[in-house]
Amino acid sequence: MTTLEAFARAKAEGRAALIPYLTAGFPSREGFLQAVKEVLPYADLLEIGLPYSDPLGDGPVIQRASEEALRKGMSVQGVLELFREVRALTEKPLFLMTYLNPVLAWGPERFFSLFKQAGATGLILPDLPPDEDPSLVRLAQEIGLETVFLLAPTSTDRRVETVVGYATGFIYAVSVTGVTGERERLPDEVRDLVRRIKARTSLPVAVGFGVSGRETAAQAAVADGVVVGSALVRALEGGRPLAPLLEEIRQGLMQKEPA
Amino acid sequence: MLRLPDFPLPDPRGRFGPYGGRYVPETLIPALEEVEAAYREAKKDPAFLAELEYYLKTFAGRPTPLYHARRLSEYWGGAQVYLKREDLLHTGAHKINNTLGQALLARRMGKKRVIAETGAGQHGVSVATVAALFGLECVVYMGEEDVRRQALNVFRMKLLGAEVRPVAAGSRTLKDATNEAIRDWLTHVRTTFYILGSVVGPHPYPMMVREFQSVIGEEVKGQSLELFGRYPDALIAAVGGGSNAIGLFAPFAYLPEKERPRLIGVEAAGEGLSTGRHAASIGAGKRGVLHGSYMYLLYDHDGQITPAHSVSAGLDYPGVGPEHSYYADQGIAEYAGVTDEEALEGFKLLARLEGIIPALESAHAIAHAAKVVPEMDKDQIVVINLSGRGDKDVTEVMRLLGGEL
């Protein structure tokens, strides 16, 4: 299933697409695979994080999960294996989220090719503004990976214009100024950001950061998709089942706030 | 009148050759563009420069002397050794050159809140000091491990009215404090100015910090012409992130090769490069991205950053600024390593022979000079950047030496 098809299917059902995020290797290798099985029935696309030592775009929940996964021995090789196993479970689009340095350490061509072969649909590198290294973006695209970039409430119209020019797959709209993590409510400017992005691209737009339950999901559902990360990872941390949370969020996606 | 010099690099995209750049989450890009525009404007504004000069002179204590270390020169029996006395500045190190500049810029941009990262606490104390001076709200991030080791500096910052936030993530040291400061900035980007302490981080920081610190090298130029009628033969400085070394080197680095002194940066080799417990990013690192900049770094086969180690907390950083990375590749400067043990010898030597207790960072430069100076001629001139004073390190050195001398 392509990314566009995944978004289109959700739209046909009258809701925004649900994109769960899970940190590879957290709470353990097996625990992660179990979590994938729990989220897949609800997921339209799936985002999998390769844990990194210095995740400066992430809040405390994902920081702790990344540290724990690394402590338990998760590695680039290990994440590649997990991608292959998840790919065997589903046809849905799978996005790799990590930071730039692991890519550089393995060599971009080798890194991108291996993840493509392991079943990745695309990648999200929060510390790579695309215009910093256009040739790296082109390389990923030539290898067949979609390149998703972030835009933030602080992004000027000129930035939006620049960044959408490099994006394939979808656009990741950050709902808040800040790091990943649950919020009680999303700022109203998220609606404006989504509007400003959609005025400049036909790609689907997904809102992420801060989605914690029904209300925030409904707020985020002004976009074509909603990413849920920290709330899921925190549930895993507490050993709680994921289905009730996903159920609640899915309901939020159905009753989006009036535009 | 003070001038913030122009240099041929970085290019408009913030690159020193391949190094530098702006590898940060998108939220920060507009803020970095704003800081850069404000800085470029301030740098040309005589009122800004006059105010910076006023505070450098009356508050920080510039210019600092270029002191002839006669006994040390005699002891080594080679070149004449001069010390650039940054240790005499207010707050005890070169850091204030930069924090004054950035705090004035923050004020000019209308930001009422400043944040900073600190390792040993020298940069933190310096930021807390200028925040008090200009009435700015100040939050300093410091790794839990460093909070424990540097209790005195934590208290100093609190005395100066700053809030110190311990960071429990990762290795609980400078790298993690920097991550947390960046996260704070991501969250409060509209109201907050990030005062970064070294020539690292995303563009324009490596450029801006260099220019505020280049007052060191500019003074050395003038003082050398006055004292010797020429430039020194060699300049030696310790390198962690690299701000004191860039401050000394940059005004000389872009001279034609024939006129350029030998530039020697000294990295912390910790317990030895072969042990893996060191902070020698150029000596033993690879190119990569951390804290927004492409530079030499310490990381493992998967790109995970590996903790740095040095007896000197100020050198305890797993990367080295993009401009140093460029100098190293181009052969503009050479980089050497000095172990903890050698640095302690340098520390004791300067105290005994010159009556100056250096910071452990600067002691690395002294220790390397001990290898270089004896090989030089008596009429040659070496300038060592004495970037900070050692009061902050006395307790730690006493512990390391077991109270015995």
Side-chain angles (χ1 to χ4, degrees):
Chain A
M1 189 192 306
T2 68
T3 302
L4 287 179
E5 282 164 6
F7 277 98
R9 202 182 67 165
K11 192 174 184 183
E13 292 175 15
R15 59 182 175 84
L18 177 52
I19 312 172
Y21 162 92
L22 296 168
T23 300
F26 181 80
S28 63
R29 190 180 191 282
E30 290 315 309
F32 165 79
L33 285 169
Q34 183 52 43
V36 168
K37 287 174 193 154
E38 284 182 66
V39 302
L40 272 178
Y42 297 90
D44 295 290
L45 305 85
L46 186 61
E47 190 187 329
I48 297 174
L50 186 160
Y52 177 56
S53 57
D54 294 78
L56 53 75
D58 284 302
V61 173
I62 292 176
Q63 284 175 48
R64 282 198 301 270
S66 302
E67 273 188 48
E68 179 70 8
L70 289 172
R71 201 163 36 236
K72 289 187 171 155
M74 193 39 64
S75 60
V76 172
Q77 195 63 60
V79 178
L80 281 165
E81 282 161 24
L82 288 173
F83 259 82
R84 282 190 282 270
E85 292 187 39
V86 175
R87 184 41 86 209
L89 298 173
T90 181
E91 307 255 285
K92 292 172 181 173
L94 301 178
F95 284 82
L96 170 70
M97 202 296 290
T98 192
Y99 290 80
L100 186 53
N101 211 48
V103 178
L104 299 177
W106 273 64
E109 186 161 2
R110 182 164 165 241
F111 186 94
F112 295 154
S113 303
L114 287 169
F115 273 95
K116 173 70 187 170
Q117 287 158 21
T121 310
L123 78 159
I124 304 168
L125 298 170
D127 60 348
L128 178 68
D131 46 338
E132 273 305 307
D133 198 342
S135 64
L136 198 70
V137 177
R138 268 197 306 277
L139 179 67
Q141 290 168 353
E142 279 162 20
I143 287 169
L145 291 173
E146 292 174 345
T147 51
V148 173
F149 295 105
L150 279 61
L151 282 164
T154 52
S155 301
T156 57
D157 288 347
R158 190 170 56 83
R159 269 317 284 174
V160 173
E161 193 83 46
T162 303
V163 171
V164 300
Y166 291 95
T168 55
F170 65 96
I171 308 279
Y172 193 135
V174 176
S175 67
V176 292
T177 61
V179 294
T180 58
E182 305 118 286
R183 309 291 198 280
E184 297 265 309
R185 208 180 146 71
L186 303 184
D188 292 333
E189 61 190 355
V190 65
R191 186 183 298 271
D192 173 60
L193 175 63
V194 172
R195 187 186 52 72
R196 290 194 293 125
I197 298 171
K198 291 193 84 70
R200 289 168 181 82
T201 180
S202 57
L203 288 175
V205 178
V207 166
F209 287 32
V211 178
S212 58
R214 184 184 315 196
E215 194 196 347
T216 42
Q219 282 187 281
V222 296
D224 306 302
V226 173
V227 183
V228 184
S230 298
L232 289 170
V233 173
R234 194 209 288 280
L236 284 174
E237 209 174 36
R240 292 192 298 279
L242 304 180
L245 176 63
L246 289 158
E247 199 60 56
E248 194 192 317
I249 286 169
R250 198 170 160 112
Q251 283 170 20
L253 299 187
M254 301 274 203
Q255 36 173 250
K256 68 169 149 183
E257 288 192 350
Chain B
M1 166 85 162
L2 177 81
R3 162 182 96 83
L4 291 171
D6 291 314
F7 295 95
L9 291 174
D11 69 18
R13 291 174 51 250
R15 299 283 180 155
F16 302 87
Y19 302 106
R22 218 169 240 175
Y23 295 96
V24 291
E26 193 62 38
T27 306
L28 290 182
I29 296 287
L32 291 165
E33 287 173 351
E34 256 175 67
V35 171
E36 183 185 352
Y39 172 68
R40 288 191 190 279
E41 201 187 272
K43 174 177 169 172
K44 285 192 221 114
D45 178 357
F48 178 83
L49 295 171
E51 197 172 18
L52 177 58
E53 184 174 38
Y54 170 80
Y55 284 108
L56 285 173
K57 209 187 239 178
T58 60
F59 186 73
R62 299 215 73 90
T64 59
L66 187 62
Y67 162 75
H68 188 189
R70 286 200 172 79
R71 296 194 66 216
L72 191 61
S73 306
E74 251 170 58
Y75 177 79
W76 281 335
Q80 297 309 304
V81 176
Y82 285 77
L83 304 176
K84 181 61 176 163
R85 298 292 310 272
E86 296 297 296
D87 61 315
L88 294 176
L89 289 171
H90 181 41
T91 71
H94 71 290
K95 293 290 184 190
I96 192 100
N97 301 328
N98 170 49
T99 54
L100 273 173
Q102 288 198 45
L104 283 170
L105 188 62
R107 206 179 60 171
R108 187 182 167 93
M109 292 175 72
K111 309 282 183 186
K112 305 235 179 324
R113 178 177 183 266
V114 295
I115 54 170
E117 80 295 341
T118 198
Q122 291 309 99
H123 175 59
V125 166
S126 184
V127 173
T129 299
V130 297
L133 174 65
F134 297 125
L136 302 166
E137 183 192 342
C138 177
V139 174
V140 179
Y141 290 91
M142 188 168 185
E144 250 180 12
E145 184 59 23
D146 291 329
V147 168
R148 191 187 57 75
R149 286 191 293 198
Q150 302 286 341
L152 193 60
N153 270 342
V154 173
F155 188 68
R156 274 195 187 111
M157 288 185 266
K158 289 181 179 167
L159 269 178
L160 291 160
E163 181 192 342
V164 179
R165 292 193 189 160
V167 177
S171 59
R172 297 159 198 230
T173 58
L174 177 57
K175 140 184 114 67
D176 310 283
T178 308
N179 289 337
E180 209 51 39
I182 293 175
R183 291 184 186 116
D184 179 310
W185 202 31
L186 274 164
T187 309
H188 304 108
V189 61
R190 288 172 173 131
T191 55
T192 296
F193 189 99
Y194 179 19
I195 302 188
L196 217 161
S198 194
V199 285
V200 299
H203 179 60
Y205 283 98
M207 171 183 83
M208 182 164 71
V209 176
R210 166 194 65 191
E211 290 170 16
F212 287 133
Q213 290 296 356
S214 67
V215 66
I216 303 172
E218 291 290 333
E219 279 178 14
V220 167
K221 267 184 168 176
Q223 289 166 325
S224 304
L225 291 177
E226 201 175 299
L227 287 168
F228 330 122
R230 63 182 182 90
Y231 291 156
D233 299 284
L235 308 176
I236 305 179
V239 177
S243 70
N244 91 80
I246 281 289
L248 177 62
F249 293 174
F252 297 93
Y254 299 96
L255 293 171
E257 204 178 330
K258 277 188 176 159
E259 296 167 41
R260 190 169 67 218
R262 192 174 158 198
L263 307 177
I264 308 171
V266 185
E267 293 190 307
E271 294 171 11
L273 296 190
S274 60
T275 65
R277 286 181 52 77
H278 59 78
S281 303
I282 293 176
K286 292 164 284 190
R287 299 176 183 93
V289 164
L290 180 67
H291 298 145
S293 188
Y294 185 63
M295 58 189 177
Y296 280 102
L297 271 186
L298 304 177
Y299 60 84
D300 69 11
H301 61 282
D302 270 359
Q304 310 289 351
I305 307 300
T306 48
H309 165 82
S310 169
V311 66
S312 144
L315 303 181
D316 204 346
Y317 182 75
V320 64
E323 191 163 3
H324 284 295
S325 301
Y326 175 78
Y327 288 178
D329 280 8
Q330 298 294 317
I332 292 171
E334 54 197 282
Y335 294 84
V338 153
T339 63
D340 290 350
E341 208 173 278
E342 292 170 322
L344 283 171
E345 286 309 310
F347 185 87
K348 289 191 283 182
L349 186 69
L350 194 69
R352 214 167 53 234
L353 286 184
E354 294 289 348
I356 299 170
I357 298 176
L360 276 173
E361 292 77 20
S362 319
H364 282 72
I366 302 290
H368 188 67
K371 302 175 190 173
V372 174
V373 171
E375 306 299 317
M376 296 173 71
D377 295 334
K378 285 201 165 50
D379 59 354
Q380 288 190 295
I381 292 152
V382 172
V383 172
I384 302 172
N385 202 9
L386 203 64
S387 56
R389 63 171 170 252
D391 308 41
K392 70 181 174 65
D393 296 314
V394 170
T395 319
E396 179 68 3
V397 172
M398 191 165 83
R399 191 183 67 81
L400 289 168
L401 300 178
E404 299 294 323
L405 284 174

